[in-house]
Amino acid sequence: MAEIVGAYFTSHVPAIGGAIHKGLQGDPYWKPFFDGFPRVHEWLGQVKPDVAIVFNNDHGLNFFLDTMPTFAVGAAAEYHNADEGWGLPLYKPFAGHPELSWHLINSLVEDEFDITTCQKMLVDHALSIPFELAWPDCEAWPVKLVPFGINTVQHPLPSAKRCLALGRAVNRALQNWQGNERIVIIGTGGLSHQLDGERAGFMNQDYDRFCLDHLASDPDALTDHSIHEIVRLAGTQGVEILNWIAARGALGDAATEIHRNYHLPISNTAAATVLLEPA
Amino acid sequence: MTEHASPIPGTTLFDGKAAQAGFELNAMCYSFNEKANRDAFLADEEAYCDSYKLTPEQRAAVKARDVLAMIAAGGNAYYLAKLAGIFGLNMQDLGAMQTGVSTDAFKAMLLSQGRGATYETAFKEMTHG
C-alpha cells in the first residue's frame, strides 16, 4: 500500500535558482536560507520518496490569460522546464506518473472538484527550484511527478478554504490508490511578498508566523481569511500560500512539524522551508 | 465579498477588468518566453509593439519603462517580469522604479525588514531617510 511519507514546503524565488547556479549557497546573504536544507536532505534520505505530488503556480510559462484554469492537474508521462525569459538555467526533465494522475483526476471529479486535465504541461521555477533545493546535483530526479497548478495570477482566485478542501480530496484519493509508492507532498511559493505597485517590497512577518504556527496543527485557521484579506496580509504574490494550504490538506488530518526555517529577505520575499510528517 | 472589501493601499488586484484591459500588453510580454521574440523586440521595439494591439497608454508606458503605468493599463506582474528581464532588471530594480527610490535604498528597505522592522517602519525609513 502506498504511504504518504510527509510534506516538504519551500519558497521558489527565481533568484534562488540564480544563487544555486552561481554557487552562492555560502554567501552571507544566501546562507541563512540555504542553512534550512541539510535537514531536508537528511529527511529525504530517510523517507526515500519515489513520487512527488506538487502544488504550485504557473508564472506565465504554461498558461496565458487566454485559458486560465483554477485548478490544473498534470497527466503527462514527462514534464519539461523551458525558457521563462530571464536566463535561468534549464532543468532536466521530470518523469510523470500518468496512472496516478488519472486516478487522482477520476477521484477528484467524482468528488465534485471540476479540475482541468493537462496531458502537456510545462513546469516553471515554482517546481524546478524546490526540486533543485531538495535534490541538488542528482543525475535524474528520484521521484515521479504529479503536478497541480493553482491559479494565483488572475482574480478571482480559489479561496483558501477551497484549496484546503482540494488537498483533502487528494488525500482521500491517495487512500484508495492501490500502488505501493512512497509519496511526498510538496507545496511551493510564498511566504509574504509583493512585487508590484507602490507597495512593492511589502513583507509581513506576523502573518507569516501565523501561517507557520498553524500549518501543522490547525490549517483551517488559514482559511478564515478571504483572498482579499490574504493579499492585504501577505502581498499580491504572497497568495502563493494557497499552494501550501492545498499541500497541507493532501498530507492528511494530523501532522507534526519536524523542521522549520524562516528568513527574510530573499530577493523581495520572506522565505520559508518546512517539513511535516503525518502524526 | 471582494468588491465590498476596502482597498489595499499601493495594490492593484489583477481581476477580470484588468485582465481584459491588459490582454495585448500581457500577450506581448508572454511572447518574451522565446528568445527570438526578445531579440526582435530589442532589434526594433516600435515594430514589435506594432505587432500587438497595445493601447496608446500601454505603448507610452512601455516606451517610458513606467511599471506603475503598465500596471494601471492592465499589466500583470508575472508577465511584466519577462519584459523587465529583457532590460536586465531584477526585482529590486523594479521595486525601486515603483517606489521612486534608488535600487540601493529599496534593498536597504528589504534588509531592514530582515532585521525585524515592520514594512511600515522600513518604508518610512526609505522615503524619509
Side-chain angles (χ1 to χ4, degrees), chain A residues 9 55 71 108 113 150 158-172 214-224 241-253:
Chain A
F9 303 81
F55 294 87
F71 295 129
L108 286 168
F113 284 86
I150 297 179
S159 70
K161 187 178 164 195
R162 189 63 173 160
C163 291
L164 185 61
L166 174 77
R168 284 174 172 157
V170 168
N171 183 269
R172 284 193 295 277
H214 290 85
L215 186 70
S217 60
D218 182 16
D220 289 282
L222 276 62
T223 69
D224 289 341
I241 191 69
L242 295 176
N243 300 326
W244 287 51
I245 292 170
R248 174 61 189 86
L251 178 61
D253 283 344

Side-chain angles (χ1 to χ4, degrees), chain B residues 16-100:
Chain B
K17 203 173 166 188
Q20 288 180 71
F23 192 91
E24 289 290 320
L25 173 61
N26 292 314
M28 183 176 86
C29 294
Y30 182 66
S31 79
F32 298 143
N33 280 327
E34 288 182 33
K35 185 172 187 304
N37 294 334
R38 299 196 291 272
D39 292 344
F41 177 89
L42 285 171
D44 190 343
E45 182 174 327
E46 289 287 315
Y48 199 83
C49 287
D50 281 343
S51 67
Y52 287 84
K53 299 182 197 76
L54 303 191
T55 64
E57 291 77 17
Q58 290 167 346
R59 277 297 281 266
V62 171
K63 194 168 181 180
R65 317 290 189 244
D66 185 338
V67 182
L68 291 176
M70 290 184 220
I71 293 168
N76 174 276
Y78 290 123
Y79 304 110
L80 294 180
K82 297 171 195 294
L83 175 63
I86 293 183
F87 306 126
L89 300 171
N90 64 30
M91 284 302 156
Q92 290 76 56
D93 297 320
L94 286 185
M97 290 162 76
Q98 294 176 91
T99 51

Side-chain angles (χ1 to χ4, degrees), chain A residues 3-222:
Chain A
E3 182 186 349
I4 298 172
V5 299
Y8 154 56
F9 303 81
T10 196
S11 305
H12 61 222
V13 183
I16 296 168
I20 294 170
H21 191 55
K22 293 177 202 148
L24 298 177
Q25 293 91 335
D27 181 270
Y29 180 87
W30 290 101
K31 193 172 182 300
F33 174 72
F34 283 98
D35 278 350
F37 285 89
R39 180 73 183 97
V40 174
H41 302 152
E42 179 191 33
W43 181 75
L44 288 168
Q46 286 163 0
V47 299
K48 293 186 173 52
D50 48 27
V51 170
I53 296 178
V54 183
F55 294 87
N56 77 136
N57 58 294
D58 182 75
H59 298 70
L61 179 65
N62 190 72
F63 295 116
F64 181 59
L65 302 173
D66 55 343
T67 309
M68 183 57 68
T70 297
F71 295 129
V73 187
E78 191 168 76
Y79 302 89
H80 294 267
N81 184 217
D83 188 348
E84 295 183 52
W86 0 271
L88 272 183
L90 286 193
Y91 293 88
K92 50 193 171 273
F94 304 77
H97 193 329
E99 299 80 10
L100 179 56
S101 286
W102 283 105
H103 170 75
L104 293 174
I105 289 161
N106 289 327
S107 178
L108 286 168
V109 173
E110 196 175 317
D111 222 345
E112 301 182 343
F113 284 86
D114 305 321
I115 40 91
T116 299
T117 302
C118 303
Q119 288 205 59
K120 286 178 79 173
M121 184 194 270
L122 292 172
V123 293
D124 70 17
H125 65 272
L127 197 140
S128 54
I129 287 175
F131 267 54
E132 189 62 35
L133 287 166
W135 297 285
D137 303 322
C138 61
E139 290 250 325
W141 306 116
V143 289
K144 290 180 175 176
L145 170 65
V146 178
F148 280 72
I150 297 179
N151 169 29
T152 62
V153 173
Q154 177 183 279
H155 292 251
L157 311 183
S159 70
K161 187 178 164 195
R162 189 63 173 160
C163 291
L164 185 61
L166 174 77
R168 284 174 172 157
V170 168
N171 183 269
R172 284 193 295 277
L174 292 174
Q175 302 303 328
N176 295 321
W177 170 244
Q178 296 304 310
N180 57 4
E181 291 87 347
R182 298 178 60 75
I183 300 167
V184 63
I185 310 291
I186 302 179
T188 91
L191 292 181
S192 59
H193 63 302
Q194 175 153 339
L195 305 178
D196 49 332
E198 292 89 343
R199 200 174 70 142
F202 171 81
M203 292 177 275
N204 183 347
Q205 299 174 61
D206 288 343
Y207 178 70
D208 291 340
R209 286 217 184 78
F210 165 80
C211 291
L212 292 169
D213 288 346
H214 290 85
L215 186 70
S217 60
D218 182 16
D220 289 282
L222 276 62

